[in-house]
Amino acid sequence: MAPQPNHLSYPSFITSFIKIGFQAFGGSATTASLMEQFIGDRLSKQQIHAAYAYALILPGASQVAIVSNVGYRLKGRWGALVATICYLLPSLSLITAFAVVYFGFTGGTHTTTHLSGVLAALAGIMLSNSQRVGKSNATSSWMWVPVLCAFVASFLLHINATLILLCSGTAAMSLYLLAKRPHIWR
Amino acid sequence: MEMIATLVHFFLTMLYISLIAFGGSAQPLFEQFTVLQNHWLSQTDFAAVLAFGYSTPGPAVFGTAAFIGYRLAGLPGAVVGSVGIFTVPLLASLITAKYLTTILEKPSAKAFIRGVGLAASGLLAATALHIAGPNWLHPANFAIMLLAYILLTRKLSNPLLLLVGGGLVTTIFGI
């Protein structure tokens, strides 16, 4: 039997989401596994996985969609809002502290120019993310062609990112509608 | 008055980015709107924003929005950026969930989202090389980039350690 969500008191609810917010490094999968750890006794694993799967198809940051969905399941609409704020509070505090130091004490632009290693590591991280995003969407080897086209369009031709995204999405949808071969996109 | 207008513009930009950011496409959009179009940040500051975004818990896009907001208007700007970037997924999750789920589960919509995701992958790679700057082919920088890529892809490290490690290597060895 699924656990009864309404047994969680608001102080425990708030504390749990702040703790999750402090430890949520590394994307929505981490957030989902932290939820299992912190509130797994209040919601079933299936409910958390459903929130995760559902969040991936919504626009914007999927972590926010997962947290608000789980907050909603636990405490209704206000629960969704409170859970989201508590989850994002640690991130907001840390990033504001970073921003104060970066812009206030270092004069901004000087810091990173001396730390080319940080930028190189960041580029490696982003390339890894790029591959992860590509692999999650490309179910056939030919689907890497639009990935390459988008890269060339942005990096070499400097075409607007929104335009590239919309063109790629529209082309994919048109191909689907024209070819009527839905198995390609599954 | 000018500051309020800038904050409203910034808020609407954050809403727009989160509305169209399917499939990991937010960072190229941030670069497009905050660096290239509106000049709210330099390319170097944008790289720092991303580095800080990856170094903090929670969604990297949230940290990015808060940081840019702080750059524009201090703490009120950070709050405006944060609210702007989480409003769409929160509302989508709360109010229109059923409606959106019905639409987004249609095969044609799935094809659209997949197409956006494929382009996002290429755009992320392009943004990565923009971030690395003109010296990304320098042997030391290239080695750090490659190592970070391999370690993260094989899940042998986390972004925070890689960023700190990269910074330490260039600081200690004066590269």
Side-chain angles (χ1 to χ4, degrees):
Chain A
M1 186 182 163
Q4 292 298 309
N6 54 356
H7 287 167
L8 190 66
S9 66
Y10 254 108
S12 309
F13 178 80
I14 288 169
T15 315
S16 298
F17 278 97
I18 288 178
K19 281 181 184 171
I20 292 169
F22 260 114
Q23 296 177 43
F25 286 95
S28 43
T30 313
T31 301
S33 68
L34 285 167
M35 293 221 195
E36 283 181 31
Q37 186 186 325
F38 284 99
I39 49 175
D41 56 338
R42 304 290 170 177
L43 278 182
S44 71
K45 194 180 270 189
Q46 285 75 22
Q47 285 173 305
I48 294 172
H49 287 179
Y52 175 54
Y54 159 79
L56 294 178
I57 59 169
L58 291 177
S62 50
Q63 291 101 314
V64 173
I66 298 172
V67 168
S68 58
N69 190 298
V70 168
Y72 180 77
R73 285 167 191 254
L74 287 168
K75 293 278 183 193
R77 287 188 177 172
W78 283 109
L81 187 63
V82 171
T84 307
I85 290 170
C86 291
Y87 173 76
L88 294 175
L89 209 55
S91 176
L92 180 63
S93 312
L94 285 170
I95 205 79
T96 306
F98 274 139
V100 169
V101 172
Y102 181 76
F103 292 117
F105 297 101
T106 68
T109 21
H110 302 295
T111 310
T112 47
T113 48
H114 293 300
L115 293 176
S116 59
V118 174
L119 301 184
L122 180 61
I125 292 167
M126 292 183 72
L127 286 174
S128 175
N129 285 344
S130 158
Q131 191 203 22
R132 182 178 50 78
V133 171
K135 274 174 83 174
S136 68
N137 286 292
T139 48
S140 305
S141 51
W142 68 265
M143 287 189 187
W144 287 96
V145 174
V147 175
L148 185 67
C149 290
F151 174 79
V152 171
S154 175
F155 190 68
L156 298 178
L157 305 176
H158 308 290
I159 295 173
N160 185 298
T162 314
L163 191 63
I164 295 170
L165 291 169
L166 290 177
C167 283
S168 181
T170 308
M173 192 166 72
S174 306
L175 267 178
Y176 166 78
L177 293 173
L178 287 172
K180 291 283 182 191
R181 290 172 64 192
H183 65 276
I184 294 174
W185 302 103
R186 279 181 191 154
Chain B
M1 202 63 190
E2 195 183 328
M3 180 55 73
I4 292 171
T6 305
L7 279 177
V8 170
H9 184 194
F10 176 59
F11 179 73
L12 294 176
T13 305
M14 294 301 107
L15 280 183
Y16 181 66
I17 288 176
S18 65
L19 192 64
I20 59 171
F22 284 98
S25 56
Q27 282 144 359
L29 291 170
F30 268 115
E31 187 186 30
Q32 178 72 45
F33 287 106
T34 65
V35 180
L36 303 175
Q37 273 183 227
N38 293 306
H39 308 290
W40 287 326
L41 287 177
S42 68
Q43 190 75 43
T44 312
D45 285 341
F46 181 66
V49 167
L50 291 184
F52 289 135
Y54 278 109
S55 312
T56 50
V61 291
F62 177 76
T64 308
F67 199 95
I68 298 169
Y70 186 88
R71 176 77 177 92
L72 282 176
L75 196 57
V79 173
V80 165
S82 311
V83 174
I85 211 71
F86 84 67
T87 298
V88 169
L90 179 69
L91 288 183
S93 185
L94 271 179
I95 300 167
T96 55
K98 196 174 176 183
Y99 180 62
L100 265 182
T101 306
T102 311
I103 289 177
L104 294 173
E105 282 182 352
K106 287 183 178 174
S108 53
K110 279 186 176 177
F112 182 86
I113 292 170
R114 189 174 292 264
V116 169
L118 290 169
S121 172
L123 288 175
L124 267 174
T127 306
L129 295 187
H130 282 155
I131 294 302
N135 296 326
W136 69 274
L137 277 174
H138 182 282
N141 288 339
F142 189 77
I144 292 170
M145 187 168 74
L146 191 64
L147 192 65
Y149 168 78
I150 292 169
L151 290 175
L152 199 63
T153 304
R154 298 191 175 189
K155 296 180 179 170
L156 296 172
S157 185
N158 66 56
L160 180 60
L161 284 179
L162 293 172
L163 291 168
V164 172
L168 282 177
V169 166
T170 45
T171 306
I172 292 168
F173 296 103
I175 299 165

